[in-house]
Amino acid sequence: MNDNWPDVGAFYHAGNTCTFTVWSPLSQSVSLLINGQQQPLLVDERGYWQVTLPGIEPGNQYQYVLDGGDPLPDPASCWQPKGVHGPSAVADPSFTWTDQAWKGRPLGELVIYELHTGTFTPEGTFDGIIRQLGYLQQLGINAIELMPVAAFAGDRNWGYDGVFPFAVHTVYGGISGLKQLVNEAHRRGIAVILDVVYNHLGPDGNYFSQYGPYFTDKYKSVWARAINFDDAYCDGVRQYFWQNALRWLDEFHIDGLRLDAVHAIWDAGADHFLAALQRKVEALEKQTGRHKLLIAEFDLNDPRYVERVEKGGLGLASQWVDEFHHALHAIVTGEKEGYYEDFGEYWHLQQSLRSSYVYIGQYSRHRKKHFGALPAGIPYSRFVAFAQNHDQVGNRLLGDRLTTTLSFEALKLVAATLLLSPHVPLLFMGEEYGEQNPFQYFVSHTDPALIEAVRKGRREEFKHFNWQGEIPDPAAIETFNASKLSWNYSTDPRAQTLLRFYQYLIALRKSSPALCCTGREHLDILPIEDTGIIAFKRCAQ
Amino acid sequence: MNDNWPDVGAFYHAGNTCTFTVWSPLSQSVSLLINGQQQPLLVDERGYWQVTLPGIEPGNQYQYVLDGGDPLPDPASCWQPKGVHGPSAVADPSFTWTDQAWKGRPLGELVIYELHTGTFTPEGTFDGIIRQLGYLQQLGINAIELMPVAAFAGDRNWGYDGVFPFAVHTVYGGISGLKQLVNEAHRRGIAVILDVVYNHLGPDGNYFSQYGPYFTDKYKSVWARAINFDDAYCDGVRQYFWQNALRWLDEFHIDGLRLDAVHAIWDAGADHFLAALQRKVEALEKQTGRHKLLIAEFDLNDPRYVERVEKGGLGLASQWVDEFHHALHAIVTGEKEGYYEDFGEYWHLQQSLRSSYVYIGQYSRHRKKHFGALPAGIPYSRFVAFAQNHDQVGNRLLGDRLTTTLSFEALKLVAATLLLSPHVPLLFMGEEYGEQNPFQYFVSHTDPALIEAVRKGRREEFKHFNWQGEIPDPAAIETFNASKLSWNYSTDPRAQTLLRFYQYLIALRKSSPALCCTGREHLDILPIEDTGIIAFKRCAQ
């Protein structure tokens, strides 16, 4: 109801003052350690502790002391110069933006390119991405989607172990590096989507529970303790993540957020965290005059997430549709294990072309239950499809891409199926030239027990599959290095051909009215008896 | 999708044959022990085991043997002649109904009377209730709501520890006794609502997990393990409870179900268990030409449960609105402890009169979070209100009613506030004549450890309240006996006066068009400065 909640974090103002705000509703005292001094904070009735201090400069390091305990980093830190266990640092948010004319991009016209900052280029930085923006522009994509950049333990991580959701991993280039990337991308007409994780927090460097009831045991989450979105004291937790989302979209000019695994954002309250977030994002759209998109990943085949609010939905702009991938992958590879046991027939892909979801209430053998519902009347533009992505490649035992399995002609078939499909297409970095290097799972936690737990977890994850070979060691730097793109298209003629084919398809898609995302009435699946052929017709509105 | 699921249980046919069906998807073999013989059952692909046998008579006792283990009662038993641990028995479902002209009653005209079969009359049986139907008719109520009658361990229980949802507690009169009650009630124009518990199963005599994955650990439930409505194998569990609901509404001619604590029916699937149940109930309404009502109890202030399906709701007919009670109770008693800390001011009651819920997004001190949403546009008829009920009386330390606390004039004020309110009113047995006996919490489990756990649980439940006195022993028969109605209105003149006042108010409500449940536009809260007065105006449509 009351939108006047204090912004958490350290806010550096002109004149070398800085306001520090931290939420810790159960602490009796909170003080700030900075520049060798300890400053007490004052608390409001909601548990927000605050102090404004003069004489602060960007780069000054600080920690909080709760009830006389050990000094801790700020959970809303935007800079962890010495890693996740070290102190937080005051950052200067000022940046000279030159994207004033940028309006963002509407959903329907997006062609998205997912990348992992650390392995996309040899440098593994935002600067590295900036140097490749010309290449991406030539490819024709008009949005990049960054795997999570929130600060995590160690140097190497997919990003889903982040423990400072407001901080940008220092090795990638920190907050100014990210702003530079967004500004340059906008200059080239490319939107920037950021993957954010609001369903759990990473295991290493996670100081949240010392600050307050950030977690709940009402729900059993897969990866870690569930975040408290609906239990006592959830207001401060909800605010924390709302503020996080808005910070990226507003201060960083980010165009959209890919919300990781929202089925694990448990909220049984009357105003769902995501519905309220969508309202706040729409307010920001109005205020900035720019498209701001929320794209949810979830594994429920429940149209409610992207359904309009008037029809009882949460109103999110879009969602990932894994089943398009599964249907396509199972047909072209013939794989039948794990979740692919629910796919592999031609009608599965036809069904996804028709209704995005394949399972709309049928029995799923893999899930051992009836599953899903029909997203009736929801346009294709609200569904992002892909033939590969970080999960579908990286969560294979060897992290092998389709290039390992498929013939060259089959790769082209996959490309065309994706890019001519009615859904918003997403490519995974390197897919466009048939990258042969794998994308494997890597971490660089400091705790050996944790590394062993990760190794064990990977083995567990693969038990449903009949994959052969040794699991690459997630903690080895070789695994990280092996996952870097080779960029070999300039020396490999077939890679060059495939790249040109992707360029052609993307250009075709963008220039043909019939291939722009439309309502479901503008696609026909053609009845062809030969089960080796799927044909569909798309027409303009 | 496929509605042709086998009905679970033992179905006695003409000609002394009987079909036995049990769901046990993970068993390798299931056989039936009956009349000294062991019969193997055949399984279908969904895990339903079935056999039809000749030479069976009503009263024959049977058990199932799973994978050669100990004989167990049938989870869908409708008769447990020797208690919850004993064998199940075949029942004859035939009954001579005389209520062919009965059409049920629409929500808006209901005046509900909640009662507990065991303590309503000295006999503590359905026959006892039948003998009081004339009294209830004279009182003017037109629906009785039975606290749960599903078979539970021991003789005495509120009913929320039921472990055979299809069986009727034998001591009350079993299934034929219940049918007799419904038939007689209908003859007198009284609808019958049955309280059913689909959020957990009782602790004593609970053999469900031996039959299959009835439970899940995805959610942490308050009372027991959460029931598996959305995890692997949930189809059989969902069917089980859908069939249970339909059995009452169809075979037993029950007019409505009060669904206990549906906030603990956890279902994150795309087709919520309750939404699907509502569709099935509407189909039965069409088929029978009778009103069939689902009335949910929940603690979320989330209009989604009773919102129409077209607007994204679950479409349930109605819900209990505890906050009307809390607002009224806190004003008239002055109590401020436990959840009453969120109430006690006059605007709380005005708010409930206006929008049913009091908390529609404000901060709740007791819950320590912002709570609820406005049920905009949902008519009053979808909300059942009360000044007392089994929970609000029985979950007090001494189980004391308002008669213990309030003056006689205040009792009349409470009566008028409830019966002239726009919500559907519900009385708790004895309220109408100012019963002085308490309604206390009682169980008769057989396991001493369980009884101790219950005692401990009660103490825990009361810790937020500053109530004085000794907690009555839930396991003592004296506690049960003390909770029986005294029926002293014939000897107590004040009781007689109060009873006449209730009769008058109910008659007034039923005869005045302005007092029938209407849309929210037909009620005005009058602005009166004196904070000791709340005035509202109701007008006819």
Side-chain angles (χ1 to χ4, degrees):
Chain A
M1 307 298 275
N2 175 12
D3 269 343
N4 295 320
W5 292 75
D7 284 316
V8 292
F11 290 87
Y12 176 74
H13 315 293
N16 287 1
T17 66
C18 185
T19 301
F20 298 85
T21 308
V22 65
W23 179 70
S24 191
L26 302 178
S27 292
Q28 297 305 306
S29 78
V30 174
S31 59
L32 178 73
L33 272 183
I34 190 162
N35 298 339
Q37 299 218 307
Q38 186 157 349
Q39 301 283 348
L41 278 71
L42 291 178
V43 68
D44 75 6
E45 72 286 0
R46 295 172 293 200
Y48 287 90
W49 299 81
Q50 200 168 67
V51 69
T52 298
L53 295 179
I56 306 293
E57 293 185 8
N60 285 171
Q61 297 184 6
Y62 68 99
Q63 289 163 304
Y64 289 115
V65 175
L66 311 178
D67 296 329
D70 290 333
L72 302 174
D74 180 2
S77 164
C78 61
W79 186 9
Q80 289 295 115
K82 296 179 178 171
V84 297
H85 300 288
S88 306
V90 173
D92 184 352
S94 61
F95 180 81
T96 309
W97 291 98
T98 60
D99 68 347
Q100 285 74 11
W102 176 253
K103 294 289 168 206
R105 290 198 175 272
L107 266 177
E109 68 178 44
L110 292 184
V111 181
I112 306 172
Y113 187 93
E114 186 191 31
L115 64 85
H116 175 263
T117 304
T119 53
F120 180 58
T121 62
E123 307 94 307
T125 61
F126 298 129
D127 276 350
I129 303 173
I130 290 173
R131 266 188 288 282
Q132 291 295 346
L133 286 175
Y135 164 85
L136 294 173
Q137 214 176 353
Q138 275 197 309
L139 172 58
I141 62 97
N142 51 27
I144 55 173
E145 178 169 317
L146 306 176
M147 286 173 66
V149 301
F152 50 78
D155 289 343
R156 310 177 303 276
N157 199 286
W158 280 15
Y160 302 96
D161 292 321
V163 281
F164 289 92
F166 287 88
V168 177
H169 185 48
T170 308
V171 175
Y172 290 168
I175 60 174
S176 61
L178 179 58
K179 287 177 182 173
Q180 194 65 48
L181 169 59
V182 175
N183 198 47
E184 284 299 308
H186 286 177
R187 191 170 66 79
R188 292 174 181 268
I190 295 174
V192 181
I193 297 166
L194 180 64
D195 194 343
V196 290
V197 185
Y198 296 161
N199 55 61
H200 77 286
L201 289 153
D204 196 357
N206 182 335
Y207 294 98
F208 285 86
S209 47
Q210 286 164 268
Y211 278 92
Y214 277 90
F215 305 105
T216 176
D217 293 319
K218 272 175 80 175
Y219 310 102
K220 195 177 144 191
S221 224
V222 180
W223 306 283
R225 282 183 77 194
I227 290 177
N228 173 19
F229 287 106
D230 67 2
D231 217 343
Y233 299 103
C234 66
D235 291 341
V237 183
R238 293 160 68 92
Q239 284 295 331
Y240 177 91
F241 287 102
W242 284 328
Q243 289 182 16
N244 184 265
L246 273 286
R247 196 85 53 93
W248 297 124
L249 296 173
D250 192 7
E251 180 186 330
F252 287 79
H253 293 204
I254 293 281
D255 299 288
L257 299 176
R258 183 261 191 192
L259 304 166
D260 184 63
V262 299
H263 52 267
I265 293 179
W266 294 105
D267 182 1
D271 189 22
H272 195 286
F273 169 79
L274 293 174
L277 176 59
Q278 177 66 29
R279 292 197 303 274
K280 290 171 195 289
V281 169
E282 286 170 17
L284 184 66
E285 279 190 309
K286 273 201 186 145
Q287 184 199 312
T288 60
R290 291 174 170 180
H291 295 282
K292 301 285 182 186
L293 308 172
L294 294 180
I295 304 173
E297 181 212 20
F298 60 93
D299 182 37
L300 292 170
N301 283 16
D302 186 350
R304 180 171 174 242
Y305 285 81
V306 292
E307 182 59 275
R308 286 175 296 143
V309 172
E310 311 83 74
K311 296 183 78 177
L314 301 182
L316 302 182
S318 187
Q319 70 155 105
W320 276 28
V321 51
D322 281 20
E323 290 194 336
F324 177 88
H325 168 271
H326 299 345
L328 178 57
H329 184 95
I331 291 177
V332 296
T333 64
E335 290 181 16
K336 287 280 185 195
E337 280 130 21
Y339 44 75
Y340 296 121
E341 70 173 310
D342 278 345
F343 302 90
E345 293 177 33
Y346 282 79
W347 72 262
H348 291 124
L349 185 56
Q350 290 178 322
Q351 176 76 18
S352 179
L353 285 165
R354 193 182 290 116
S355 58
S356 303
Y357 302 159
V358 174
Y359 283 82
I360 53 170
Q362 308 95 316
Y363 183 77
S364 151
R365 263 190 301 171
H366 185 68
R367 298 173 191 270
K368 298 182 171 53
K369 60 178 179 177
H370 285 69
F371 182 65
L374 181 70
I378 303 178
Y380 287 112
S381 56
R382 289 182 170 245
F383 297 88
V384 173
F386 33 81
Q388 304 187 62
N389 70 24
H390 75 274
D391 267 330
Q392 300 305 334
V393 173
N395 283 328
R396 298 173 66 81
L397 185 132
L398 297 175
D400 50 314
R401 296 162 175 265
L402 285 179
T403 45
T404 311
T405 317
L406 297 190
S407 71
F408 188 63
E409 294 308 312
L411 289 176
K412 291 199 284 187
L413 183 66
V414 165
T417 309
L418 174 67
L419 287 163
L420 304 181
S421 110
H423 303 105
V424 171
L426 174 142
L427 310 181
F428 181 56
M429 59 176 194
E431 173 181 342
E432 72 279 10
Y433 63 82
E435 175 62 62
Q436 310 262 335
N437 285 352
F439 183 71
Q440 295 173 337
Y441 188 75
F442 44 81
V443 295
S444 53
H445 298 309
T446 47
D447 177 356
L450 186 56
I451 291 173
E452 195 42 47
V454 169
R455 289 190 183 118
K456 193 169 157 230
R458 297 300 288 176
R459 284 193 295 271
E460 183 66 18
E461 193 161 340
F462 296 142
K463 74 178 180 196
H464 290 296
F465 295 89
N466 194 22
W467 287 323
Q468 304 298 317
E470 187 89 6
I471 303 181
D473 183 357
I477 189 156
E478 292 76 16
T479 304
F480 172 75
N481 286 334
S483 299
K484 292 204 165 207
L485 292 194
S486 70
W487 296 102
N488 71 339
Y489 66 89
S490 52
T491 57
D492 179 341
R494 296 223 307 189
Q496 214 160 79
T497 303
L498 193 62
L499 178 58
R500 281 207 311 275
F501 189 57
Y502 269 87
Q503 284 172 327
Y504 166 76
L505 288 167
I506 293 171
L508 180 66
R509 181 182 180 95
K510 293 200 295 190
S511 61
S512 311
L515 295 182
C516 293
C517 289
T518 58
R520 291 187 186 268
E521 66 279 17
H522 297 104
L523 181 134
D524 273 332
I525 305 281
L526 302 181
I528 292 181
E529 293 301 313
D530 181 341
T531 56
I533 297 177
I534 291 174
F536 56 96
K537 193 172 82 179
R538 300 184 58 190
C539 58
Q541 279 165 313
Chain B
M1 309 295 279
N2 175 12
D3 270 343
N4 295 319
W5 292 75
D7 284 316
V8 293
F11 289 87
Y12 176 74
H13 314 295
N16 287 2
T17 65
C18 186
T19 301
F20 297 86
T21 308
V22 66
W23 180 69
S24 191
L26 302 177
S27 292
Q28 298 305 305
S29 79
V30 174
S31 60
L32 179 72
L33 272 183
I34 189 164
N35 298 339
Q37 299 216 304
Q38 187 157 349
Q39 302 282 350
L41 278 72
L42 292 178
V43 68
D44 74 6
E45 74 286 0
R46 293 171 293 199
Y48 287 89
W49 299 81
Q50 200 168 68
V51 68
T52 299
L53 295 178
I56 305 294
E57 293 185 7
N60 284 174
Q61 297 183 6
Y62 69 98
Q63 290 163 304
Y64 289 115
V65 175
L66 311 179
D67 295 330
D70 290 334
L72 303 173
D74 179 2
S77 164
C78 62
W79 186 9
Q80 290 294 116
K82 296 178 178 171
V84 297
H85 301 287
S88 306
V90 173
D92 184 352
S94 62
F95 180 82
T96 309
W97 291 98
T98 60
D99 68 347
Q100 285 74 12
W102 176 252
K103 295 288 168 207
R105 290 196 174 275
L107 266 177
E109 68 177 45
L110 292 184
V111 181
I112 307 173
Y113 187 92
E114 186 192 30
L115 65 86
H116 176 263
T117 304
T119 52
F120 181 58
T121 62
E123 307 93 305
T125 62
F126 299 129
D127 276 352
I129 303 172
I130 290 174
R131 265 189 288 283
Q132 293 294 347
L133 286 175
Y135 165 84
L136 293 173
Q137 215 177 352
Q138 277 197 308
L139 173 58
I141 63 95
N142 51 26
I144 55 173
E145 178 168 317
L146 306 177
M147 285 173 67
V149 301
F152 50 77
D155 289 344
R156 309 177 304 276
N157 199 286
W158 279 16
Y160 303 94
D161 292 321
V163 281
F164 290 93
F166 286 89
V168 177
H169 185 50
T170 307
V171 175
Y172 290 168
I175 62 175
S176 61
L178 179 57
K179 287 176 182 174
Q180 196 65 49
L181 169 59
V182 175
N183 198 46
E184 285 298 310
H186 287 177
R187 192 170 67 78
R188 292 176 181 267
I190 295 174
V192 181
I193 296 165
L194 180 63
D195 194 342
V196 291
V197 185
Y198 295 161
N199 54 60
H200 77 287
L201 289 153
D204 196 358
N206 182 335
Y207 294 98
F208 284 86
S209 48
Q210 286 163 268
Y211 278 91
Y214 277 91
F215 304 105
T216 176
D217 293 320
K218 271 175 80 176
Y219 310 102
K220 194 176 144 192
S221 225
V222 180
W223 308 283
R225 281 184 77 194
I227 290 177
N228 172 19
F229 286 105
D230 67 2
D231 216 345
Y233 298 104
C234 65
D235 291 341
V237 182
R238 292 160 69 91
Q239 283 295 330
Y240 177 91
F241 288 101
W242 284 329
Q243 290 181 17
N244 183 265
L246 274 285
R247 197 84 55 90
W248 298 124
L249 296 173
D250 192 7
E251 181 186 328
F252 286 79
H253 294 203
I254 294 281
D255 299 288
L257 299 175
R258 182 262 191 193
L259 305 166
D260 183 62
V262 300
H263 52 267
I265 293 179
W266 295 104
D267 182 0
D271 189 22
H272 195 285
F273 169 79
L274 292 174
L277 176 59
Q278 177 66 28
R279 291 198 303 274
K280 290 170 195 287
V281 169
E282 286 171 16
L284 182 68
E285 280 190 311
K286 273 199 186 146
Q287 184 198 314
T288 59
R290 292 174 169 178
H291 295 283
K292 301 284 183 187
L293 309 171
L294 294 180
I295 304 172
E297 180 212 21
F298 58 93
D299 183 37
L300 292 170
N301 283 17
D302 186 351
R304 180 172 173 241
Y305 285 81
V306 293
E307 183 58 275
R308 285 175 296 143
V309 172
E310 311 84 74
K311 296 183 76 177
L314 301 180
L316 302 182
S318 187
Q319 69 155 104
W320 276 27
V321 51
D322 281 19
E323 291 193 336
F324 177 89
H325 168 271
H326 298 345
L328 178 56
H329 184 95
I331 291 176
V332 295
T333 65
E335 290 180 17
K336 286 281 184 196
E337 279 130 23
Y339 44 76
Y340 296 121
E341 70 173 308
D342 278 344
F343 302 90
E345 293 177 33
Y346 282 79
W347 73 262
H348 292 124
L349 185 56
Q350 288 178 322
Q351 176 77 14
S352 180
L353 286 165
R354 191 181 293 117
S355 58
S356 303
Y357 304 158
V358 174
Y359 282 81
I360 53 170
Q362 309 94 317
Y363 183 77
S364 151
R365 262 191 302 173
H366 185 68
R367 299 173 191 271
K368 298 182 172 55
K369 60 179 178 178
H370 285 71
F371 182 65
L374 181 71
I378 304 178
Y380 287 113
S381 56
R382 290 183 168 245
F383 298 87
V384 173
F386 33 81
Q388 303 187 63
N389 71 23
H390 75 274
D391 266 330
Q392 301 305 334
V393 172
N395 282 328
R396 298 172 65 80
L397 185 133
L398 297 175
D400 50 314
R401 297 159 175 268
L402 285 178
T403 45
T404 311
T405 317
L406 297 190
S407 71
F408 187 64
E409 294 308 313
L411 289 176
K412 291 200 284 186
L413 182 67
V414 165
T417 307
L418 174 67
L419 287 162
L420 304 180
S421 111
H423 303 104
V424 172
L426 175 142
L427 310 180
F428 181 56
M429 59 176 195
E431 174 181 343
E432 71 279 11
Y433 64 81
E435 175 62 62
Q436 310 261 335
N437 284 353
F439 183 71
Q440 294 173 338
Y441 188 75
F442 44 82
V443 296
S444 55
H445 298 309
T446 48
D447 178 356
L450 186 56
I451 291 175
E452 195 42 49
V454 169
R455 289 189 183 120
K456 194 170 156 229
R458 297 299 288 177
R459 283 193 295 269
E460 183 66 17
E461 194 162 339
F462 296 142
K463 76 177 177 194
H464 290 296
F465 295 89
N466 194 23
W467 287 324
Q468 303 299 317
E470 187 89 6
I471 302 180
D473 182 358
I477 190 156
E478 293 75 17
T479 304
F480 173 74
N481 286 334
S483 300
K484 291 202 166 209
L485 292 194
S486 69
W487 296 102
N488 71 341
Y489 65 89
S490 51
T491 56
D492 178 343
R494 295 222 309 187
Q496 214 161 79
T497 303
L498 192 62
L499 178 58
R500 282 207 310 277
F501 188 57
Y502 269 87
Q503 285 173 327
Y504 166 76
L505 287 168
I506 294 171
L508 180 67
R509 180 181 181 94
K510 293 199 297 189
S511 61
S512 313
L515 295 182
C516 292
C517 289
T518 58
R520 292 190 184 266
E521 65 280 15
H522 298 104
L523 182 133
D524 275 331
I525 307 279
L526 302 181
I528 291 182
E529 293 301 312
D530 182 341
T531 56
I533 297 176
I534 291 174
F536 57 96
K537 191 171 82 178
R538 300 185 58 190
C539 58
Q541 279 164 313

